[in-house]
Amino acid sequence: MKSFVSLFLMSILFPAMQAKLYTKCELSEVLKDMDGYGGITMPEWVCIIFHSSGYDTQTIVKNNDSTEYGLFQISNKFWCGSSQNSQSRNFCDISCDKFLDDDLTDDKMCAKKILDQKGIDYWLAHKPLCSDNLEQWSCKKL
């Protein structure tokens, strides 16, 4: 019983995958190299990510024919590989699980590839929610 309790405590203290729930300003700082990429401003990215994943790196959304992962909600139908979808095209050549951790390097790489190939309207929140009146999505540090 003692070893079970120790193991349980270790699993709580050191989870296998580190998740991150960002604030608007933290996210702006981490994504600063994406500001202006493909003509998309930082407030647009912050707005899209808020409406896609709520700034939570471990967000998973299951749809009828695919599952979307992480901050950018990257689909396993075309962009990443998963055991749930053996037919994935995996254009980003990466496991979908990599989009669920707190290292956004691979997330940004794949999001840029999606933007280059599909445009900003891949993210459905952009047009109706994130294309104008973006002041609220800017991070103004005092």
Side-chain angles (χ1 to χ4, degrees), residues 1 12 16 21 27 50 53-54 56 59 61-62 70 75 80 85 90 93-94 100 111 115-116 120-121 124 133-134 137:
M1 179 69 174
I12 291 171
L21 181 60
L27 193 59
F50 174 79
S53 63
D56 186 349
T59 300
V61 175
K62 296 178 189 263
S75 172
C80 61
N85 188 347
N90 197 1
D93 193 31
I94 191 166
L100 300 175
L115 183 63
D116 291 342
I120 196 63
D121 290 334
L124 299 178
N133 300 321
L134 297 169
W137 303 108

Side-chain angles (χ1 to χ4, degrees), residues 63-106:
N63 299 308
N64 290 335
D65 60 347
S66 68
T67 302
E68 297 174 339
Y69 295 82
L71 285 177
F72 292 97
Q73 288 295 279
I74 296 173
S75 172
N76 70 350
K77 188 171 184 177
F78 297 106
W79 303 103
C80 61
S82 76
S83 59
Q84 296 174 345
N85 188 347
S86 60
Q87 302 299 316
S88 174
R89 304 287 298 271
N90 197 1
F91 289 130
C92 289
D93 193 31
I94 191 166
S95 169
C96 297
D97 292 336
K98 295 294 247 172
F99 298 135
L100 300 175
D101 61 21
D102 63 349
D103 178 0
L104 300 185
T105 305
D106 40 25

Side-chain angles (χ1 to χ4, degrees), residues 13 24 49 51 56 72 84 95 99 107 111 116 123 138 141-142:
L13 294 174
K24 175 174 60 176
I49 291 170
H51 289 291
D56 186 349
F72 292 97
Q84 296 174 345
S95 169
F99 298 135
D107 306 56
D116 291 342
W123 290 278
S138 294
K141 293 188 178 183
L142 300 174

Side-chain angles (χ1 to χ4, degrees), residues 112-135:
K112 287 178 179 179
K113 185 175 271 194
I114 293 169
L115 183 63
D116 291 342
Q117 292 183 17
K118 293 292 183 182
I120 196 63
D121 290 334
Y122 168 84
W123 290 278
L124 299 178
H126 182 260
K127 196 171 218 167
L129 302 169
C130 304
S131 57
D132 57 10
N133 300 321
L134 297 169
E135 298 81 25

